[in-house]
Amino acid sequence: MYQYDSHDQAMVDARVAEFRDQVRRRLDGSLAEEQFRPLRLMNGLYLQLHAYMLRVAVPYGTLSSAQMTMLGDIADKYDRGYGHFTTRQNIQYNWIKLEEAPDILADLAKVEMHAIQTSGNCIRNTTSDQYAGAIADEVVDPRPYAELIRQWSTFHPEFSFLPRKFKMAVIASETDRAAMRLHDIGIQILRNDKGQLGAAFYVGGGMGRTPMIAPCINPFVPIDQMITYSEACLRVYNRYGRRDNKYKARIKILVHELGKDEYTRQVEAEFAHLLTQGIEPPLAELERIKAQFTDPAFATGLSDAVDRSDPDFAVWLDNNVQVHKQPGYAIVTISLKPVGGIPGDASGDQMRLMAQLARAYSFDELRVTHAQNIVLPHVRKADLYTVWQQLEEAGLGTPNLDKIGDIIACPGLDYCSLANARSIPVAQKISERFAGREQEIGELKLKISGCINACGHHHAGHIGILGVDRKGVENYQLLLGGSEGADTSLGTITGPGFNEEGIVDAVEKATSVYLANRHAGERFLDTYRRIGMAPFKDAIYAKDAV
Amino acid sequence: MKILTGNDLKTGAVTWWTGEGWSLHVAEAVDVGDQGDAIAARENAARRVVSPYVIDGETAADGPRPAHIKERIRALGPTVRLDLSLKPADPAAGNWVI
Amino acid sequence: MVETQLRFRDDEPAGDPAVTVDSFGEQTNAAAVRIEPGDDARVLLPHLDRITLVEVNFPVFGDGRGYSAARILREAGYAGELRAVGDVLIDQLAFLRRCGFDSFAPDQPLNAADAEAALARYPEVYSPTVDGRAPIWAKRHGLA
Ligand code: SF4
């Protein structure tokens, strides 16, 4: 894992002091709210439905035990005993006091964490593959590249007042587990046919009101020019991205309106100029970072055998445990989606327990996934049963990874001031309705957003649900056929929306159509793609037989 | 009726204008008539509230009731964590927001 | 005209009033020009040798186009005065300075002590710009 040196620490410490000073000036009246707002947002502090909300960055989703323990302690000390893991691999606290926010940042800085640029019209936390460093199919570990981007983008003087927020993701395998093409910039680290490392740039993806899949604007930027190329992409956006209309201000609209070719031409021209400016860190810096992401000291010669005699354990194994690149080890995903629970929420105690497990069984490492779960990346197969037992005891052993109960849901109208409808109660009702049938239904990614901003990735759900406001009443639209990853696609709305009960019924009808039509081995998404929308629509909107 | 609401500057807590000050309880909110913006500007300048705004409401049997569901959820707390709401002892409190 | 509150240059301030980018093209003797957010700073590049003052206007502080304009001018070798005018606030000073601004004429006067603290806040920088400060990576690898 990356560890701060004195330079990194000095930057984060300076930020704490700066924010303390800004809060002081807000409270003494020298900063008006309009001026303070963008400053607090750049520190992840929102004013939400019930209180201030603080979003803490988890760079590329990687946490140490000490960091996870601190997150749990902050939940207890400053909040109401829990936190919410988000689709951007961050954590949010819902009940923060402005006066205490500087102290929280100071506590975070003690474990090399911060809330820098977790909101605002700047470059946000860079996300990555939650299985980085543990999965066999990666070309390299993508996280050093994400760390290089983290440093470059932190307090970037030119790009702190962009037309709109800016999200980047870095992956390094063909299987995309980070929804890379649904980001403002998605980067895939790869090798060319000469074996050299480079970065493929996908620019202009995103969800929200105008979902778009990012086109590839450059299939191979040499790895020692990745930062310069990013700078060029951003400069063109900063200069020409729309500022007249908030809903058209994301880079996807610029790329769309200019056309991919023209945008690319402008980026290449800027890139040629910036190459003369000496802004690229030397390869030695990348090597320095890489040296901190080397494999942990895996034991060799371990057996791959796992005793499956406990049937509940066997179900969990089949659902939540992935193949590790190292024989004798496994990747464990801890589901934060208990039946009837709040997706992504974890209590302070649960966080500390997960930290303990990581210390004892996973080389001190954890990951946050964009599906709002937690990963123990390097667990010995011989330890799986013990780990599972402890998770079970803490309510963290739900065996439902990528099943219908593993719902992505944004906070919605229970917490979010932008929401049109509640997301969490819908997730709870669906997971209760389908409890016990998840294995029969198989892989089904269900995603719920409480408004068009799409924090719950509803466009990319095999089944997506979007909350809308219909004359002051919560209403839910249903989408089918979305996907993220190698086969990224955007879902299609089935038709008129439903109330809360109705949307749960509609989901049930959709799964019935799938079960009645599926061929052997087909997932919900495969069947949908084969038979199309019509049969689903017929079933969902059929008038009940009289 | 017109209700003036905002958040406490220091704690972020949702607050309602009572005619004399700010309360956590919407039941204590008063009709501000056409005075909402003036009170809001004054209270904002005095830093007793952050981002105040006027909403529509009606007078129900149990007191003022904001017209929009969002404001009713603000008044109660998260419906999925009633234990953290202003009515932790009432399991049916969530029905009030619908 | 709004007063220049902070200036980090030793030379005498230019006396000429700044003209718009459009009229600058026609007035071949103008030495001071004012860039609005939508203007392309690159149209000035052929004329840098006769410019002594560029004002970059920030009508609202949240419009960040002026940061790119400033860097573009400095990257092209512009050495004259680069002044941020308009909605220039304390907490943007350090970013502006890093992009090459060396004088500030805010609409509302800034608290001098707070401004000084803000400018001195960050001991180091991650990204190199035209301000000549060595980025952290250069220090790490003995390049500074
Ligand atoms: S999708 Fe909308 S309701 Fe949900 S968290 Fe995002 S902004 Fe809030």
Side-chain angles (χ1 to χ4, degrees):
Chain A
M1 267 187 66
Y2 186 73
Q3 293 194 328
Y4 283 8
D5 64 5
S6 58
H7 301 286
D8 297 308
Q9 191 66 47
M11 294 298 272
V12 170
D13 290 345
R15 176 57 135 199
V16 176
E18 179 182 48
F19 192 61
R20 204 178 279 288
D21 186 54
Q22 290 167 344
V23 169
R24 171 189 65 79
R25 284 187 281 135
R26 174 69 182 107
L27 293 175
D28 77 13
S30 32
L31 273 178
E33 181 63 14
E34 305 78 71
Q35 296 165 342
F36 180 61
R37 192 170 165 274
L39 304 176
R40 66 167 161 76
L41 288 177
M42 271 188 235
N43 266 297
L45 195 69
Y46 287 71
L47 189 58
Q48 280 293 17
L49 220 50
H50 307 296
Y52 292 101
M53 180 269 274
L54 180 69
R55 181 181 295 149
V56 175
V58 180
Y60 33 90
T62 296
L63 287 169
S64 68
S65 306
Q67 291 174 327
M68 184 62 115
T69 302
M70 180 59 87
L71 294 180
D73 290 348
I74 286 173
D76 288 342
K77 186 170 166 193
Y78 300 102
D79 204 87
R80 299 197 177 173
Y82 67 108
H84 177 75
F85 289 96
T86 76
T87 50
R88 296 214 74 250
Q89 300 181 307
N90 294 321
I91 183 171
Q92 295 177 177
Y93 297 103
N94 295 304
W95 305 92
I96 296 302
K97 297 184 171 70
L98 177 59
E99 302 169 291
E100 291 182 346
D103 296 334
I104 304 177
L105 297 185
D107 279 359
L108 287 169
K110 288 180 200 154
V111 291
E112 304 178 4
M113 294 187 80
H114 58 76
I116 296 166
Q117 290 168 211
T118 53
S119 180
N121 293 336
C122 49
I123 305 170
R124 305 283 189 89
N125 183 32
T126 301
T127 54
S128 187
D129 186 338
Q130 70 265 21
Y131 297 156
I135 195 97
D137 72 359
E138 67 188 13
V139 175
V140 287
D141 187 331
R143 291 173 298 164
Y145 306 89
E147 173 60 25
L148 202 64
I149 291 172
R150 183 190 75 83
Q151 296 190 22
W152 160 73
S153 61
T154 297
F155 310 134
H156 196 295
E158 186 177 340
F159 305 136
S160 291
F161 295 93
L162 296 167
R164 201 76 176 80
K165 58 188 169 184
F166 203 89
K167 302 177 181 180
M168 296 176 71
V170 184
I171 64 168
S173 48
E174 284 304 318
T175 309
D176 173 13
R177 285 169 289 264
M180 179 272 284
R181 293 188 70 186
L182 296 171
H183 283 75
D184 296 287
I185 294 182
I187 291 177
Q188 183 181 351
I189 307 294
L190 35 67
R191 281 188 202 283
N192 64 10
D193 43 19
K194 295 193 196 75
Q196 296 156 325
L197 276 177
F201 271 70
Y202 293 82
V203 182
M207 297 199 232
R209 145 181 338 243
T210 322
M212 291 196 191
I213 298 171
C216 180
I217 70 157
N218 192 322
F220 192 85
V221 175
I223 207 65
D224 58 355
Q225 298 177 347
M226 180 183 78
I227 294 298
T228 309
Y229 202 83
S230 302
E231 187 123 345
C233 291
L234 263 299
R235 178 174 284 178
V236 172
Y237 170 56
N238 189 44
R239 300 185 75 206
Y240 299 112
R242 288 182 62 170
R243 291 175 188 263
D244 59 328
N245 181 339
K246 178 175 160 192
Y247 300 117
K248 299 195 168 158
R250 295 289 289 270
I251 195 174
K252 61 192 173 188
I253 305 292
L254 176 69
V255 174
H256 183 74
E257 286 182 352
L258 286 178
K260 174 196 134 188
D261 293 341
E262 173 58 17
Y263 174 74
T264 308
R265 189 193 64 74
Q266 294 187 19
V267 168
E268 294 289 337
E270 196 67 64
F271 177 54
H273 160 69
L274 286 170
L275 280 176
T276 67
Q277 294 296 314
I279 57 175
E280 188 78 29
L283 275 179
E285 175 62 4
L286 187 58
E287 292 308 319
R288 184 192 73 90
I289 296 172
K290 274 188 176 175
Q292 306 189 47
F293 287 96
T294 49
D295 281 347
F298 292 125
T300 50
L302 297 180
S303 159
D304 272 322
V306 179
D307 178 357
R308 299 172 55 92
S309 53
D310 183 331
D312 291 339
F313 172 61
V315 173
W316 179 78
L317 264 185
D318 293 339
N319 277 271
N320 289 36
V321 177
Q322 263 74 35
V323 178
H324 196 282
K325 66 179 181 185
Q326 181 74 17
Y329 286 84
I331 305 172
V332 166
T333 301
I334 302 171
S335 170
L336 296 183
K337 319 290 177 62
V339 174
I342 298 177
D345 275 16
S347 68
D349 286 338
Q350 287 178 325
M351 287 186 239
R352 281 184 294 267
L353 174 81
M354 293 189 282
Q356 244 171 35
L357 291 175
R359 191 173 298 124
Y361 302 109
S362 182
F363 294 97
D364 213 40
E365 246 191 82
L366 306 102
R367 309 287 172 76
V368 182
T369 81
H370 83 275
Q372 304 177 283
N373 293 315
I374 301 296
V375 166
L376 298 174
H378 315 293
V379 180
R380 275 188 202 216
K381 287 190 173 159
D383 293 329
L384 285 171
Y385 191 66
T386 318
V387 168
W388 172 73
Q389 282 179 311
Q390 296 187 52
L391 288 173
E392 270 285 279
E393 209 164 295
L396 292 167
T398 315
N400 61 358
L401 183 64
D402 293 339
K403 302 294 188 296
I404 194 169
D406 182 15
I407 297 168
I408 290 182
C410 77
L413 192 51
D414 278 299
Y415 291 101
C416 175
S417 58
L418 301 172
N420 285 325
R422 285 174 288 171
S423 314
I424 298 167
V426 174
Q428 291 174 313
K429 293 213 166 72
I430 291 173
S431 81
E432 279 161 359
R433 173 82 65 97
F434 288 93
R437 287 150 61 196
E438 303 186 306
Q439 305 307 323
E440 180 201 351
I441 294 169
E443 180 182 314
L444 201 168
K445 298 189 182 179
L446 199 148
K447 311 189 184 204
I448 310 176
S449 303
C451 81
I452 194 78
N453 285 331
C455 304
H457 297 185
H458 63 275
H459 300 295
H462 300 174
I463 295 180
I465 295 174
L466 167 65
V468 296
D469 178 335
R470 237 180 57 184
K471 300 194 185 102
V473 177
E474 296 164 294
N475 192 264
Y476 299 92
Q477 293 181 345
L478 185 65
L479 296 86
L480 301 178
S483 175
E484 56 198 15
D487 59 350
T488 301
S489 60
L490 300 169
T492 308
I493 295 179
T494 56
F498 307 88
N499 65 15
E500 190 178 288
E501 240 358 89
I503 189 72
V504 182
D505 291 341
V507 168
E508 169 122 43
K509 287 174 189 160
T511 57
S512 302
V513 172
Y514 156 63
L515 290 173
N517 287 277
R518 75 172 160 193
H519 290 172
E522 269 185 350
R523 304 168 300 162
F524 177 91
L525 180 67
D526 304 323
T527 303
Y528 171 83
R529 285 179 174 165
R530 181 171 53 77
I531 68 178
M533 176 65 94
F536 289 93
K537 215 167 163 163
D538 290 347
I540 291 166
Y541 295 103
K543 291 268 175 288
D544 290 332
V546 195
Chain B
M1 67 186 285
K2 298 282 182 193
I3 302 174
L4 178 60
T5 182
N7 296 71
D8 185 80
L9 173 62
K10 290 183 189 170
T11 68
V14 174
T15 53
W16 310 89
W17 180 249
T18 66
E20 286 155 15
W22 297 92
S23 166
L24 298 178
H25 304 281
V26 71
E28 294 170 14
V30 294
D31 189 346
V32 292
D34 58 3
Q35 290 305 300
D37 289 341
I39 303 170
R42 193 185 74 217
E43 289 294 307
N44 192 35
R47 303 193 298 283
R48 285 187 286 263
V49 67
V50 55
S51 303
Y53 56 100
V54 177
I55 61 165
D56 287 321
E58 60 188 26
T59 322
D62 51 356
R65 178 179 166 84
H68 198 275
I69 181 174
K70 177 180 291 186
E71 301 304 333
R72 296 195 292 275
I73 291 178
R74 282 181 77 240
L76 175 68
T79 64
V80 292
R81 287 296 303 266
L82 288 174
D83 57 320
L84 305 176
S85 76
L86 289 181
K87 300 217 167 103
D90 176 4
N95 294 335
W96 180 77
V97 309
I98 315 172
Chain C
M1 204 190 102
V2 188
E3 211 177 315
T4 300
Q5 189 187 344
L6 292 167
R7 193 162 186 275
F8 300 86
R9 299 179 65 90
D10 297 331
D11 56 357
E12 279 300 305
D16 316 17
V19 302
T20 64
V21 171
D22 279 349
S23 46
F24 178 81
E26 296 144 21
Q27 298 178 23
T28 45
N29 58 350
V33 60
R34 179 184 173 103
I35 297 183
E36 296 296 332
D39 292 336
D40 179 4
R42 287 206 162 99
V43 305
L44 299 180
L45 298 191
H47 315 289
L48 290 185
D49 50 358
R50 69 172 163 101
I51 304 178
T52 54
L53 169 67
V54 178
E55 286 184 356
V56 178
N57 186 27
F58 290 85
V60 287
F61 72 85
D63 187 333
R65 284 177 283 187
Y67 295 88
S68 290
R71 262 187 91 184
I72 283 168
L73 291 172
R74 291 296 191 212
E75 284 167 0
Y78 173 64
E81 181 166 348
L82 193 49
R83 183 184 296 163
V85 304
D87 194 14
V88 174
L89 305 172
I90 291 197
D91 294 281
Q92 282 79 53
L93 288 178
F95 288 146
L96 292 165
R97 198 81 180 90
R98 294 223 59 218
C99 288
F101 287 99
D102 53 12
S103 70
F104 301 91
D107 284 343
Q108 303 293 328
L110 308 177
N111 175 306
D114 287 343
E116 197 184 324
L119 279 166
R121 177 74 65 200
Y122 286 94
E124 310 206 50
V125 299
Y126 276 121
S127 308
T129 64
V130 278
D131 68 349
R133 291 180 75 177
I136 287 172
W137 53 251
K139 295 184 183 176
R140 280 177 179 143
H141 299 283
L143 304 170

